[in-house]
Amino acid sequence: MKYQNIREEELKNKVAQDYFWLYDCSKIIGNVDFCVCMHQSQKELFEQEFLLWAEAKKGSSDIYKSIVQLILTIGKARTFDKYLPPAMLGAFDGEKIAFIPYNDIHEVFYINDFNWNVTPSNHDTKEFKLIHEKVKTVIDNKALLFNFLNDDRELKKFIKNNFIVGKFGLTKTKIDKNNFMVIYNKWLQAVKPTIAVNWDIAKKMGIIDGDFYLADLLSQENNTLKEKLFVLLRQDHYELDRKIDEAGMFSSKRTDFTDNQVAHTQFWNRYDRPPKEEYWDYIVERRDLLVPQDVRERKGSFFTPQIWVELSQKYLTDVLGEDWQDEYYVWDCAAGTGNLLNGLTNKYNIWASTLDKQDVEVMHDRINNGANLLHDHVFQFDFLNDEFLPKSKGGKLPDSLYNIISDGEKRKKLVVYINPPYAEATTAKTVTGTGKNKSGVAIQNKANQYFKSKIGSATNEIFALFMAQVYDKIQDGILAQFSTLKFVQGSNFDKFREYFKAKYLGGFIVPANTFDNVKGEFPIGFTIWNLNKKVKIKQISCDVYDRNGEYIGEKNFYGNLPDIINKWIVSYRNSGTNIGYLTTRGNDFQNNNFIQIINDKSLVKSDRGVFINIINIVPICIYFAVRHCIEATWLNDRDQFLYPNDGWQTDTEFQNDCLAFTLFHGQNRISCKDGTNHWIPFTEQEVNAREKFESNFMSKFINGKLKNDRSGDLYGNQTQRTTALEFSTEATAVFDAGRELWKYYHQQPKCNVNASLYDIKEFFQGRNEKGKMNNKSSDETYMNLIGNLREKLRQLADKIEPKVYEYEFLKQ
């Protein structure tokens, strides 16, 4: 509720200030609570025209009863005889406001033999109940209801468009291709709950609320205008699942409203239906936006942006030849509403199938409106479950398509052109320990069991099941698909690559977030494969395009990668005395946020990592620097970090650079609050510390001052280096910048002498109400010092980067 715990007079003042500030709300008309009119100078001789008379109630109230009370107040005083009636009557409380055109209700004031001499606020009188009964239907059908919080912008727009002197009729919000999704989200809250449907059961049957919204949206006088839609609005009910039954008779299902269609009517009173006809095809084609996210991931109801549709068809032309549309056949077996096929010209060589009957209806409707497809070539088909049988033998495949699949030579000319579903087993919650793998995300598919022994855990990815099914059923055709590139280089796809052998013909990659509802920063590829050529995937090269379709280069993907970096680092586990713990989740850039150094394993839920001690500190710092010195981008997001060659072992400058990088990087989360801080890289004298540090391990390690006679403790029992480490110019600059920051911190009255870099950042930056460290500090000196440190660290990262490729931690 927007206006809580305030008196009625204060409520009226706030509503006037928040929504009617352009108007005069100071007039007092009899006992009417709230009046709105235009400002008028004393010189104006014309009678003032009112725009709104309204009843006000604090808290939350029954808006119907408030309007009835207003009517009784006006009728009792015959206010309409003394003043020009307003354009609208209304009522509001702390939560909502309703409007109803005066002309739609004014006849009630002329009822014969009615006793108006009653107390309007007494809701128990027979007169109140009589007026309530007479105007209820009018309010149901004509009232416009707005929630102050949820409908703030719409309410302000409504007032701006309709509170005009001399205006006749209401200006409703027009619907177009830019706002139909915003209106859908409001419809979900206002109308969906009043439709007599068990949505959980309906969802399992493939019935979605978005189809009911389309029926509403594309209607006039509550009758859906497009007959091919799966759901139709028929005045006061919905009709769906229309078909010819076994007896040859037309049948359909029907569902009604649970509130006599009141919420539905009040909601659509705000909007001008239907949208302009020029938007109809676009809205229907974008039905995918109305499909719930989990269903979209599973069924593939995702719209391929037109820019990538056109580019993919250009690549098909480059690979298959200028006349490929006449020489090849095309089947999109995950077609959705068919937008991937936009631009193809030979409709006699195109087939489109989809899991949902609703999408089939949409495609048929699009054909009626000019889409370049044939009705008989568009059909409902579950690619992962249905039998590959022709309709003439009781199956679902058109005989013309089945004949191509069954003919070895024609099959070589069949292009399976798809943007398949992408539901996957692992989410970010999995790797943070707050969820679990969705193993079996695709287990409901019959293909899952069939391919489990052939492609292993890749069966958890629906797009991989599509690839395997195409490879199995159309084994010597052409596959042209949009997907991630994990099937080329993902560690979970080793077995898949043993099964799927095909010749790569070409392709490109683009940012994934250019596709609807894809939020991650990673590449989506379009790749073309000749399934007739059995070639193991070792390496492919893709052209790279930015989000605007501009070519920016090439990128290689590898199917024959060596062992992963985590296998290398765990080989350095040992039983020494620990100074920290390195977390090692994942082997690619997308997992780099989980790579950090902390005091102890007990501080994280993940059990993957390595304890740090004097024996393994060098490889630990190399691992850490390698993972963080290169910025993660959409282009490298899935690149795998690898088991290196031996070159790093003799490169002491590289080792020392990595140590310096690790000591001053933000993902080094060592904190004196979680235990002894062994990571202070300076002596007390260097930073003017007030007291002795609890541990001088790191400064002694750097300066070669660890003793050799302390067997079994923190310093180990092997011979220790007695000379100081030599650092590069870039690393030295990092130490210098860090030293100045430490000095400034130790000048602070409440400093902790054992503070780590993480503690120092927390001291100056603080945390927000959710416990997350703020990005900035109000201390200008600190901001300059930390900014300088970050810049020096970036320069050091640039120096380390070439070595990452030289020692083969990453492939170019």
Side-chain angles (χ1 to χ4, degrees):
M1 187 182 301
K2 184 171 182 177
Y3 304 108
Q4 298 187 60
N5 303 320
I6 60 175
R7 300 176 65 177
E8 188 175 297
E9 288 303 314
E10 186 179 356
L11 171 65
K12 290 188 285 186
N13 291 338
K14 286 186 177 294
V15 169
Q17 178 182 338
D18 291 348
Y19 295 98
F20 298 97
W21 69 91
L22 294 176
Y23 307 92
D24 183 357
C25 300
S26 64
K27 301 296 182 184
I28 298 176
I29 305 298
N31 291 322
V32 176
D33 283 343
F34 188 79
C35 301
V36 178
C37 59
M38 300 299 293
H39 286 285
Q40 189 175 34
S41 69
Q42 294 182 349
K43 296 180 179 180
E44 293 183 66
L45 302 176
F46 301 106
E47 185 175 356
Q48 194 162 31
E49 290 189 41
F50 288 91
L51 302 171
L52 173 70
W53 292 345
E55 182 74 20
K57 298 287 183 186
K58 68 179 182 178
S60 181
S61 64
D62 183 327
I63 217 76
Y64 283 71
K65 290 182 178 179
S66 294
I67 292 176
V68 171
Q69 183 174 330
L70 176 65
I71 291 171
L72 286 170
T73 299
I74 295 169
K76 181 178 182 178
R78 304 290 292 179
T79 311
F80 48 82
D81 288 337
K82 303 169 186 175
Y83 301 93
L84 287 175
M88 278 172 278
L89 299 180
F92 60 87
D93 56 25
E95 179 182 31
K96 57 192 176 292
I97 186 168
F99 302 96
I100 186 166
Y102 182 86
N103 287 337
D104 288 328
I105 211 164
H106 74 282
E107 290 183 2
V108 74
F109 295 119
Y110 302 100
I111 301 175
N112 291 324
D113 300 323
F114 182 79
N115 175 26
W116 290 97
N117 194 27
V118 295
T119 303
S121 60
N122 186 348
H123 297 180
D124 295 324
T125 65
K126 66 178 182 180
E127 287 81 7
F128 186 97
K129 293 176 181 177
L130 178 62
I131 295 295
H132 187 283
E133 184 65 30
K134 284 186 174 295
V135 301
K136 183 179 183 301
T137 301
V138 178
I139 298 173
D140 285 345
N141 293 331
K142 300 295 184 179
L144 290 93
L145 184 65
F146 298 90
N147 183 288
F148 287 127
L149 285 177
N150 299 336
D151 304 319
D152 181 76
R153 291 180 63 184
E154 282 189 307
L155 172 56
K156 290 175 179 175
K157 184 177 180 180
F158 172 82
I159 292 170
K160 179 181 178 181
N161 290 339
N162 291 283
F163 278 54
I164 302 170
V165 172
K167 176 177 170 58
F168 182 79
L170 294 178
T171 299
K172 298 183 178 183
T173 300
K174 295 189 180 298
I175 304 168
D176 57 35
K177 64 181 182 180
N178 296 316
N179 67 3
F180 82 98
M181 277 302 298
V182 175
I183 296 168
Y184 166 63
N185 290 327
K186 293 180 180 295
W187 179 94
L188 288 175
Q189 303 299 316
V191 179
K192 178 183 173 181
T194 68
I195 302 173
V197 172
N198 183 317
W199 295 106
D200 291 333
I201 295 175
K203 185 177 178 181
K204 293 177 182 177
M205 298 177 63
I207 298 172
I208 62 169
D209 49 50
D211 288 320
F212 288 80
Y213 173 68
L214 278 181
D216 280 359
L217 185 64
L218 300 176
S219 68
Q220 192 169 37
E221 296 180 355
N222 279 348
N223 279 295
T224 303
L225 299 171
K226 294 180 79 68
E227 290 291 323
K228 283 292 184 179
L229 295 181
F230 181 73
V231 177
L232 302 178
L233 177 62
R234 298 301 196 200
Q235 288 287 327
D236 59 354
H237 67 277
Y238 295 101
E239 187 179 276
L240 64 155
D241 198 20
R242 302 174 311 286
K243 59 187 177 183
I244 304 297
D245 63 20
E246 295 178 355
M249 301 180 68
F250 179 84
S251 67
S252 65
K253 295 186 174 102
R254 166 183 171 143
T255 191
D256 298 284
F257 295 93
T258 59
D259 66 341
N260 294 320
Q261 208 175 355
V262 172
H264 180 272
T265 302
Q266 291 182 350
F267 180 83
W268 287 114
N269 278 346
R270 304 185 205 169
Y271 303 103
D272 189 8
R273 289 186 296 166
K276 289 183 179 179
E277 193 166 354
E278 65 193 74
Y279 300 132
W280 291 9
D281 284 346
Y282 175 83
I283 291 172
V284 170
E285 188 178 1
R286 295 314 313 270
R287 175 185 177 270
D288 63 295
L289 294 175
L290 309 177
V291 178
Q293 181 73 12
D294 60 329
V295 176
R296 295 176 74 176
E297 292 181 4
R298 190 173 70 252
K299 294 185 176 181
S301 301
F302 281 93
F303 187 88
T304 310
Q306 189 61 29
I307 184 175
W308 308 137
V309 171
E310 294 173 3
L311 189 60
S312 68
Q313 292 174 12
K314 175 186 179 298
Y315 272 71
L316 282 168
T317 301
D318 292 343
V319 168
L320 302 179
E322 199 69 36
D323 299 323
W324 77 276
Q325 293 193 53
D326 297 321
E327 297 173 357
Y328 286 81
Y329 310 100
V330 177
W331 180 17
D332 183 352
C333 56
T337 58
N339 87 290
L340 186 58
L341 303 173
N342 288 345
L344 298 184
T345 56
N346 189 351
K347 61 185 178 182
Y348 298 99
N349 282 6
I350 302 171
W351 288 262
S353 63
T354 183
L355 183 61
D356 283 337
K357 180 180 177 182
Q358 295 94 314
D359 283 336
V360 174
E361 299 282 2
V362 168
M363 282 192 279
H364 282 305
D365 181 77
R366 291 184 57 223
I367 293 171
N368 291 339
N369 287 279
N372 196 36
L373 299 168
L374 296 176
H375 281 288
D376 291 343
H377 284 197
V378 174
F379 58 102
Q380 189 274 331
F381 186 70
D382 186 341
F383 190 74
L384 298 181
N385 288 305
D386 286 341
E387 295 294 332
F388 277 62
L389 292 173
K391 289 184 178 179
S392 60
K393 295 184 179 180
K396 295 182 177 180
L397 293 175
D399 284 32
S400 54
L401 177 59
Y402 179 79
N403 291 337
I404 295 169
I405 296 173
S406 303
D407 186 311
E409 289 304 311
K410 288 183 178 180
R411 191 167 57 239
K412 293 177 183 178
K413 294 288 187 178
L414 178 57
V415 178
V416 178
Y417 179 36
I418 53 173
N419 181 4
Y422 77 93
E424 56 185 344
T426 304
T427 65
K429 287 186 177 181
T430 306
V431 293
T432 58
T434 59
K436 60 181 181 180
N437 280 330
K438 296 182 286 183
S439 56
V441 71
I443 203 163
Q444 67 270 34
N445 298 302
K446 197 160 62 174
N448 180 283
Q449 297 303 315
Y450 178 74
F451 289 112
K452 190 70 176 178
S453 62
K454 301 178 187 294
I455 64 174
S457 60
T459 54
N460 275 328
E461 310 272 359
I462 295 185
F463 89 88
L465 286 176
F466 266 78
M467 291 182 70
Q469 184 82 318
V470 172
Y471 189 76
D472 183 70
K473 299 295 185 182
I474 309 169
Q475 53 196 257
D476 39 16
I478 302 291
L479 172 61
Q481 70 164 13
F482 286 91
S483 71
T484 67
L485 274 298
K486 62 173 69 176
F487 73 94
V488 176
Q489 62 181 20
S491 57
N492 289 332
F493 279 76
D494 290 341
K495 196 166 186 178
F496 178 89
R497 287 189 289 272
E498 291 295 328
Y499 174 74
F500 184 92
K501 296 178 180 178
K503 183 179 180 181
Y504 175 66
L505 301 178
F508 61 84
I509 55 174
V510 298
N513 58 16
T514 58
F515 289 73
D516 285 325
N517 282 6
V518 180
K519 298 178 181 178
E521 298 280 339
F522 59 92
I524 289 285
F526 176 73
T527 52
I528 307 171
W529 303 86
N530 184 344
L531 306 183
N532 192 39
K533 305 291 184 182
K534 309 302 179 184
V535 179
K536 188 172 182 179
I537 303 173
K538 293 183 179 180
Q539 176 183 338
I540 69 170
S541 180
C542 293
D543 294 334
V544 183
Y545 292 86
D546 66 17
R547 63 185 312 104
N548 299 314
E550 295 293 327
Y551 174 80
I552 57 176
E554 295 182 5
K555 182 171 177 59
N556 294 325
F557 295 89
Y558 300 89
N560 58 342
L561 291 172
D563 282 334
I564 54 180
I565 194 172
N566 283 347
K567 187 173 182 179
W568 171 71
I569 197 61
V570 298
S571 69
Y572 288 95
R573 286 175 175 162
N574 62 75
S575 57
T577 304
N578 304 319
I579 62 170
Y581 185 76
L582 170 75
T583 59
T584 60
R585 272 285 188 176
N587 295 283
D588 52 15
F589 277 90
Q590 68 171 326
N591 284 290
N592 278 0
N593 284 339
F594 305 111
I595 306 303
Q596 56 186 345
I597 291 175
I598 53 178
N599 292 63
D600 191 75
K601 176 181 179 180
S602 62
L603 298 172
V604 290
K605 295 180 180 179
S606 167
D607 59 352
R608 297 182 184 178
V610 181
F611 282 104
I612 310 169
N613 52 53
I614 185 63
I615 301 171
N616 63 14
I617 188 171
V618 171
I620 290 290
C621 290
I622 291 174
Y623 176 96
F624 183 93
V626 164
R627 293 298 297 262
H628 288 299
C629 72
I630 302 172
E631 182 182 359
T633 67
W634 74 268
L635 199 53
N636 65 20
D637 187 73
R638 299 300 195 263
D639 286 1
Q640 300 287 312
F641 289 94
L642 306 170
Y643 201 115
N645 60 40
D646 295 335
W648 67 271
Q649 295 180 3
T650 56
D651 190 342
T652 55
E653 183 173 312
F654 171 68
Q655 295 174 19
N656 295 343
D657 283 345
C658 291
L659 171 63
F661 183 89
T662 302
L663 289 172
F664 296 97
H665 193 273
Q667 286 294 98
N668 186 332
R669 303 289 180 86
I670 291 290
S671 171
C672 64
K673 296 177 182 179
D674 298 323
T676 302
N677 174 15
H678 299 291
W679 293 75
I680 302 174
F682 307 111
T683 65
E684 291 89 346
Q685 293 77 14
E686 285 182 279
V687 297
N688 300 322
R690 301 179 183 186
E691 296 286 347
K692 183 174 174 56
F693 298 150
E694 185 177 351
S695 170
N696 293 105
F697 170 82
M698 191 56 65
S699 62
K700 288 183 176 181
F701 175 77
I702 291 170
N703 293 303
K705 294 184 178 181
L706 295 180
K707 296 180 180 179
N708 298 320
D709 58 353
R710 301 178 64 179
S711 177
D713 70 358
L714 188 64
Y715 306 110
N717 55 12
Q718 74 275 26
T719 301
Q720 297 296 341
R721 171 178 40 79
T722 58
T723 58
L725 297 177
E726 294 183 12
F727 291 99
S728 65
T729 302
E730 292 81 359
T732 300
V734 170
F735 274 96
D736 291 343
R739 189 180 298 107
E740 293 304 310
L741 176 61
W742 249 268
K743 283 182 179 179
Y744 182 66
Y745 170 74
H746 281 276
Q747 295 173 15
Q748 308 306 309
K750 295 183 179 181
C751 72
N752 185 323
V753 69
N754 294 302
S756 66
L757 175 62
Y758 188 71
D759 295 325
I760 293 172
K761 290 169 62 180
E762 182 180 29
F763 176 86
F764 286 108
Q765 295 172 208
R767 294 184 180 274
N768 61 24
E769 63 277 3
K770 296 182 179 179
K772 184 178 180 182
M773 192 182 295
N774 297 318
N775 294 324
K776 296 181 179 180
S777 168
S778 58
D779 189 313
E780 187 175 339
T781 302
Y782 165 77
M783 290 302 295
N784 290 333
L785 290 170
I786 194 70
N788 183 49
L789 175 59
R790 288 168 178 162
E791 173 58 24
K792 300 305 181 187
L793 198 69
R794 185 195 63 76
Q795 293 173 12
L796 179 59
D798 290 343
K799 180 176 184 292
I800 295 172
E801 180 176 349
K803 297 287 187 177
V804 173
Y805 295 100
E806 179 181 340
Y807 299 137
E808 297 181 306
F809 287 100
L810 284 173
K811 287 268 194 181
Q812 286 280 14

